[in-house]
Amino acid sequence: MSQIKTPQKGRVRRVIQKRAPKLVENGKKTLILHGTRTSDVLNAVLSEIYHLKKDDSVKYSRRNDNIRPFESGGETSLEYFSLKTDCSLFVFGSHTKKRPNNLVMGRTYDHHIYDLVELGVENFKSMKSFSYDRKLAPQIGSKPFIAFIGEGFESVEELKHLKEVLLDLFRGEVVSNLNIAGLDRVYVCMALSSNKVFFTHCALRLKKSGTVVPRMELVEVGPSMDLLVRRHRLPDESLRKETMKKAPELIQKKVKNVSQDAIQGKVGRIYIPDQQVGEKTLPNKAKGVKRERREAKMKVEAKRQKQDSTIPSDP
């Protein structure tokens, strides 16, 4: 039997503890890979995605001949790189005659393929092709807005799946509070048809509006492209349920008669039972009770004396 050896060095121990499961997981990292053959357009797309996610992404520039995510056995190398870099998201680019400028986005669960979306890149415009004031350039690592425009993101299965993947890819780390001054970018996704989406990246310009909330203007800074949905693979229902499980420590127990209101905040209900005053037992006897007893005793004695006086005596 093989023995499990515990790490002796502190650095290795810290790395293993960092990758261990946590109640609140860290932000997801993205792995960017090249296929056997890539075009100039696809190389630019992968480079600019890496630039947009520079803080939480890993990019490999070497060609990978044996990565085919949609084929059985072709995901082994991809899962190995995911485990090696501790990445939960991946973007894989390849270029063939049948599928030119092919971009595969997906997620992993426990470093195994969870779901996949295959996209074709058309009408690509890089960041360098846009002219704007460089003071408006978004800061690296800032929290973005993500706008999905079109009914297709709610009705078409392929676009609903693409929406989930894009949200995980570009939203960054999940936070509870935001400062408006730190919001300087927005990703716009517009559904052009049932299988085509326009994607662009814009900077936010804040202007005075006469109120507390400033007026926002969008300035396109790139990249911009059309994404054509080719193939997608959803996870199994059992696997989806397993990934949605929450630790018992994170599940908040419902408090009785307490609800949350958007305007009033925390609202509670108080139930007061009917008060049975007559059946209530007093801790101390009232003084008037003794007086009533004395008066009743005196009445009984007076009645008895009266009865004795009316009885005639023997001759």
Side-chain angles (χ1 to χ4, degrees):
M1 296 176 65
S2 59
Q3 296 180 355
I4 300 175
K5 296 182 180 180
T6 57
Q8 300 296 330
K9 295 183 179 179
R11 183 179 64 84
V12 180
R13 191 185 300 111
R14 286 193 297 271
V15 171
I16 293 177
Q17 290 177 355
K18 186 178 179 181
R19 295 189 178 189
K22 306 177 182 64
L23 290 176
V24 180
E25 293 289 345
N26 302 330
K28 296 181 180 180
K29 294 170 60 179
T30 305
L31 176 64
I32 301 175
L33 296 167
H34 293 258
T36 306
R37 182 183 175 190
T38 55
S39 62
D40 294 337
V41 172
L42 206 56
N43 290 335
V45 171
L46 296 176
S47 297
E48 298 204 357
I49 292 176
Y50 174 68
H51 179 76
L52 294 175
K53 297 179 57 64
K54 201 165 188 178
D55 284 350
D56 53 356
S57 62
V58 178
K59 185 176 182 294
Y60 286 169
S61 58
R62 183 177 296 180
R63 310 292 178 182
N64 297 279
D65 299 336
N66 52 354
I67 295 181
R68 295 175 180 84
F70 281 91
E71 298 180 9
S72 60
E75 71 277 1
T76 306
S77 298
L78 184 60
E79 292 174 351
Y80 167 75
F81 288 129
S82 173
L83 177 61
K84 181 180 178 181
T85 57
D86 192 24
C87 292
S88 302
L89 301 163
F90 66 88
V91 179
F92 175 74
S94 63
H95 178 75
T96 59
K97 185 177 180 180
K98 186 178 180 181
R99 293 185 175 88
N101 298 327
N102 199 47
L103 200 65
V104 180
M105 298 180 182
R107 297 175 287 183
T108 62
Y109 173 70
D110 195 18
H111 302 296
H112 294 286
I113 299 296
Y114 177 72
D115 59 354
L116 295 167
V117 177
E118 188 180 61
L119 307 169
V121 179
E122 299 177 353
N123 303 324
F124 173 74
K125 294 181 182 179
S126 65
M127 297 180 183
K128 297 179 181 178
S129 60
F130 293 91
S131 58
Y132 56 93
D133 187 2
R134 297 301 168 182
K135 295 180 181 179
L136 298 175
Q139 300 295 321
I140 295 177
S142 61
K143 191 71 175 174
F145 283 115
I146 304 178
F148 292 94
I149 304 171
E151 296 180 357
F153 290 110
E154 303 297 331
S155 58
V156 182
E157 190 67 31
E158 291 83 356
L159 297 187
K160 287 170 64 177
H161 187 201
L162 177 61
K163 177 182 177 181
E164 293 181 7
V165 176
L166 290 177
L167 274 174
D168 264 358
L169 183 63
F170 290 108
R171 70 177 177 179
E173 190 173 353
V174 179
V175 294
S176 57
N177 296 320
L178 282 176
N179 187 357
I180 298 180
L183 297 170
D184 58 356
R185 67 171 74 191
V186 57
Y187 295 106
V188 180
C189 302
M190 184 183 299
L192 303 178
S193 64
S194 60
N195 64 340
K196 194 172 185 179
V197 174
F198 171 70
F199 175 86
T200 187
H201 177 221
C202 300
L204 287 176
R205 178 186 292 171
L206 303 180
K207 289 192 173 184
K208 294 181 179 179
S209 62
T211 61
V212 178
V213 180
R215 183 167 60 90
M216 296 184 180
E217 290 186 356
L218 300 183
V219 179
E220 196 169 5
V221 297
S224 170
M225 66 189 99
D226 291 338
L227 299 176
L228 183 66
V229 181
R230 290 173 175 165
R231 289 185 293 178
H232 77 114
R233 190 175 76 188
L234 293 170
D236 297 333
E237 192 62 29
S238 59
L239 181 60
R240 182 188 290 272
K241 289 182 180 180
E242 185 178 353
T243 57
M244 296 297 178
K245 286 182 181 179
K246 288 186 178 181
E249 294 83 358
L250 297 178
I251 299 175
Q252 296 182 354
K253 294 183 179 179
K254 187 177 180 181
V255 182
K256 291 183 178 180
N257 304 326
V258 176
S259 61
Q260 294 289 337
D261 189 89
I263 299 175
Q264 299 179 358
K266 195 173 183 180
V267 180
R269 292 183 180 180
I270 300 175
Y271 293 93
I272 302 176
D274 296 336
Q275 297 183 1
Q276 304 295 335
V277 182
E279 299 176 359
K280 207 74 173 177
T281 57
L282 300 175
N284 297 321
K285 295 181 179 179
K287 293 181 180 179
V289 176
K290 295 181 180 180
R291 183 177 178 181
E292 290 177 359
R293 288 180 179 176
R294 285 198 302 268
E295 291 178 353
K297 188 177 181 180
M298 290 173 63
K299 287 181 181 180
V300 171
E301 290 179 355
K303 188 177 181 181
R304 188 176 296 169
Q305 290 176 2
K306 187 177 180 180
Q307 289 177 356
D308 293 342
S309 62
T310 55
I311 297 174
S313 59
D314 296 334

